[in-house]
Amino acid sequence: MPNSALGVTQLLAHWRGGDAAALPQLMTLLYQELRSMAHDHVRRERRDHTLQGTALVNEAFVRLINLESVSVKDRAHFFAVASTVMRRILVDYARARLSAKRGGEAQRISSDALEDANAHRPHEDAQPSSVDDDVPLIDMRASEEISALDNLLSRLATLDQRQAQVVEMRYFGGLTVEQTAQALAISEATVKREWVAARAWLRRELARTEQ
Amino acid sequence: MTPDHWRRVKALLCDALEQEPHSREAWLEQACGDDEELRCEVRSLIAAHDGPPSFIDSPAIEHAPLAPLVRPQWIGRTVGRYRILEEIGRGGMSVVFRAARSEEQFEHEVAIKLLHPSHDNDILMRRFRAERQMLARLSHPNIAHLLDGGTTEDGVPYLVMEYIRGEPVDVYCNRRQLDLTARLRLFHTLCDAVHYVHRHLMVHGDLKCSNVLVNEDGVVKLLDFGIARLLDPTDGYAHAHTTRTVALTPESASPEQIRGEPLTTASDVYALGVLLYRLLTGQPVYRPLSDAYYDVARLICEREPRRPSIVVQDVANAPATTAQLRGDLDTIILKALNKDPERRYASVEQLSQDIAWHLGGFPVLAAPDSVRYRVRKFVGRNRTLVAAAVMLALSLIAGIVATGWQAHRAERERQRAERHFDDVRSLAQTFMVDVHDSITSLPGTLPARERIIGHSLRYLDALAQENTSDPQVQRDLARAYERVGDLQSDFLASNLQNNETAIASYRKAWELRAALWEQGARDQTMLRERLVVSLKLAQYSQSNRLMDEAARYASEALELASALTQRADATADDSRLLGTVHVVQGALRAMNGELDEGVGQINRGASILEQIIRDGDTGIKVRRNLAGAYSRSADLLTHIGGRHEPAYALHMRSLDIYESLVRDHPLDAELRKEAAYVLMDAGEAAAHTGRAAEGLRRRQEAVDRLRALSDADPEREELRFTLGWALGDLADSLKDHRRTADATRSLEEAQSLLGALSGARADRLNNTQFLIGMNDMKLGQLLISQADGASGASRKKLLLEACTLLHKAEQVFIAANSDAVLAAEAAQHLRSVQTAVPKCASTSS
């Protein structure tokens, strides 16, 4: 059981109770939790390719929340916050990769941010290896894509906040249409429309930035 | 693009996509009209939609680079004066290294805890700083102590702590195959360390085997205050805003932690129970079916733990046998693990004591729930809470004094000590007084208040001896002494004791300020503060019969008040102080034989106060002061001059003000009390000026009001004293109305109230004894008048009784003759007693 599991449920309750300070704390906690789960996920995937990557936020939900007593509202909040946090984690990773590739002083600082946060787990691979040799090309490509998408999504948010949230949940959180609809309290048809329109816009903008 | 424009584009795009692909272009032509730009926009989006899929079509995590990258290279770097050697542990927010002092020849090893950057650095930084501050307060042989702290060149905060070469307590016990007694001894030491933490108003919050190390010498060391919390002294809980439980270990989490309630010391008691369970049985308390949150949570909240003595039956090589655990140890552990925090040990100290008693072969405190427990649970929940808060406050004060001075002496820890000094100062100024204020209005807290005052004084004295030359500190100290003096005089007044100790505190404040004044601190604030303390000294010296000193302080106060009001920046409040000084000094003069001059000065004070009210300040302070001035002057006219008519007029003015004050502040018990006093005086004045019916009415009302106040706060002696007084006054009016039986009843009630007060038993003459004497006199006079209507044996018996009472009263009045304040009144009474005594003595013999 994750170290901070009990905290997440509490913080959600506090936040629902109107305590604004609970949100940043919840995000900090989820950040650590989801990041370590993501690492587990990568490790497991190397052994067992049947696991679905999309399950991460769902898995976190099952692990971190008391399913029997959680309210529909808390559930929605959890998915919304977890998606934002996932976005942050993945973008942090991507940016760190990119700056690591560029090398130099930036490397040490950025890699700080990537440090493995697995609680209470001694580290097998404590010694650093040469950074440049370590970053596969395919990772570099994905990192650039995620970084670019993050920028575009911020732009989209200035045009349509809710639509940007739909993308965040679908793309970064890996949520289904149904889950996204519940979390945002809108119909599934609306989620689909927003998603299709946003995807068209993102594809077009991505193509433009690549040119 | 604007949000509005995008909404339009989006709607068109979605509608267009619902059209058949071949008819889209035509639909678009129509929908966009002649807005060519809009059509192009939508058209390009449709093209993107129809185009090849991109990476966004599958969730990010499926293609994101997630493998761990390189970790920061700390090993070999120098942090502060320490060279980092190896990583020895890590947690959610920090990583811990072993390090050594770089410049020393022999290696002095330390543990360095570095905060690692995360999503929200601000919060982690705050918590990291909080941990550092908390650790800095702790100095205990069984707590890993803080050596240093700082920030690396690139901004990473770190703590330097004692390095403990040891292993977790359970591993240590098992590897050495320690017997039961040795395990209990280790646990007992741990309890002492935790109790120490609690005495410093902190809860550890994460007590578990891996945070309790035992070093090579067998010394227990408690570590990791990463989630430790400061308790809120007002309610004993570690509070939600600043102290949320962010991470905890499920195995040792208590039911209340699971429920998301704030941490308390009871949570640490529970965690100690979990730890002891493991040490003695080798097993966890619960074995959840899975590590899912709800499985663990449900067990902790709902399932009773199995008895340790039963668990070990199935364990090979268990640390203890069933026979050893059955009885005391089962009971101790299960009491610590109770689901209801109130049914656990009330403190770690109690748990620790039970372990000690068990080790020594004595019976333990823990016992299965009894009827007594259930009764206690329903008795005064509030009071328990208050008492707990007070105890915490006391231990905080005591703890700070002890550790504060230790730290202060050590030169190399000067900086830390200064911070400590700040803590103590702020404690003096806010915390202690706040706690005191919050319990003052609660009945039954007098002993606690007395202890708070005692502790506060002790640490203020310790502070004062620190020889600090910082004027700011001196000012703070003076303020703290003055506030303690306030607490004392308030406490003593409600307890009817004399004010010597309060005067001593005020005098310390006075001396500190006088010294600062000499050093040139002559600003307006200092002037005002000197004035206020002189005024208080004058008042309390007077009520303590130190008339010469009172006069000296009063003339100093007048000098200061004149200087203050002559300044260009003088305020209305400064004028109010000047007015009050005139009232106090005037009263002193009147008591010293200059009645007319004194009353004249009181009137001067009153007109200053009246002017302030006319100028628009109708605050409670100035109105109260003015009413006080009228009452004072009326009182002196009555009791020294026997001039009842002008006194009546003044009392009525005072009463008017008080009635309106009570109307404006209906919840202020203090005002209600003062209003009842004034009512009493007004009744007396009415009775003395031929307004017999009014006198009876007012006195009856005063009794009713005081009785209600006293019933609401039965432990406050002052209220019972005043009620006793009012009942004696009421008896006078009843007697005037020839209601002799009622008058007797009233006096008898008064005497039984007054006789129960501590003042009645004091060695020195005081107001209580004086009042008892007056009531004895009145009772005696009543008996004489009753005897007039009787004959024979009953007449003789009444007269004999009257004689005894009058003799008692006579003794009191003779003693009071030498009392500076009571002398004049005592002389009057003595005359009437002495005329009555021969009458009954001769006829009863």
Side-chain angles (χ1 to χ4, degrees), chain B residues 491-608:
Chain B
F491 170 77
L492 296 167
S494 48
N495 221 12
L496 295 176
Q497 295 175 25
N498 68 50
N499 287 306
E500 267 159 36
T501 53
I503 291 177
S505 296
Y506 286 136
R507 203 170 282 157
K508 282 175 185 158
W510 184 90
E511 282 163 9
L512 284 164
R513 285 174 188 160
L516 282 163
W517 186 264
E518 283 309 307
Q519 288 158 26
R522 303 191 173 188
D523 48 287
Q524 190 185 28
T525 309
M526 180 51 69
L527 199 54
R528 212 172 270 149
E529 287 182 341
R530 283 191 67 203
L531 160 61
V532 168
V533 77
S534 296
L535 188 58
K536 284 175 181 169
L537 273 166
Q539 285 169 298
Y540 289 108
S541 298
Q542 179 252 297
S543 63
N544 233 21
R545 318 290 191 258
L546 303 165
M547 303 310 269
D548 290 344
E549 286 189 31
R552 219 170 36 244
Y553 287 122
S555 40
E556 183 181 272
L558 185 59
E559 220 173 280
L560 293 164
S562 312
L564 191 61
T565 45
Q566 276 158 25
R567 287 174 66 109
D569 49 4
T571 64
D573 204 56
D574 295 334
S575 306
R576 182 185 64 82
L577 286 170
L578 177 64
T580 312
V581 171
H582 279 304
V583 173
V584 169
Q585 200 180 32
L588 278 167
R589 288 173 74 185
M591 282 181 239
N592 274 343
E594 301 172 276
L595 179 63
D596 290 329
E597 294 85 343
V599 170
Q601 193 177 353
I602 295 177
N603 289 343
R604 219 166 23 254
S607 32
I608 293 176

Side-chain angles (χ1 to χ4, degrees), chain B residues 472-488:
Chain B
Q472 196 49 51
V473 174
Q474 297 282 329
R475 278 180 187 232
D476 286 343
L477 258 181
R479 279 184 203 129
Y481 270 120
E482 185 181 335
R483 298 191 80 162
V484 170
D486 291 345
L487 300 188
Q488 285 172 308

Side-chain angles (χ1 to χ4, degrees), chain A residues 3 11 19 68 97 160, chain B residues 10 67 90 244 248 293 298:
Chain A
N3 197 33
L11 288 169
D19 179 0
E68 288 173 14
R97 292 273 156 154
D160 190 329
Chain B
K10 191 167 73 179
R90 56 174 56 236
R244 194 185 323 285
L248 49 82
Y293 165 76
R298 177 174 296 167

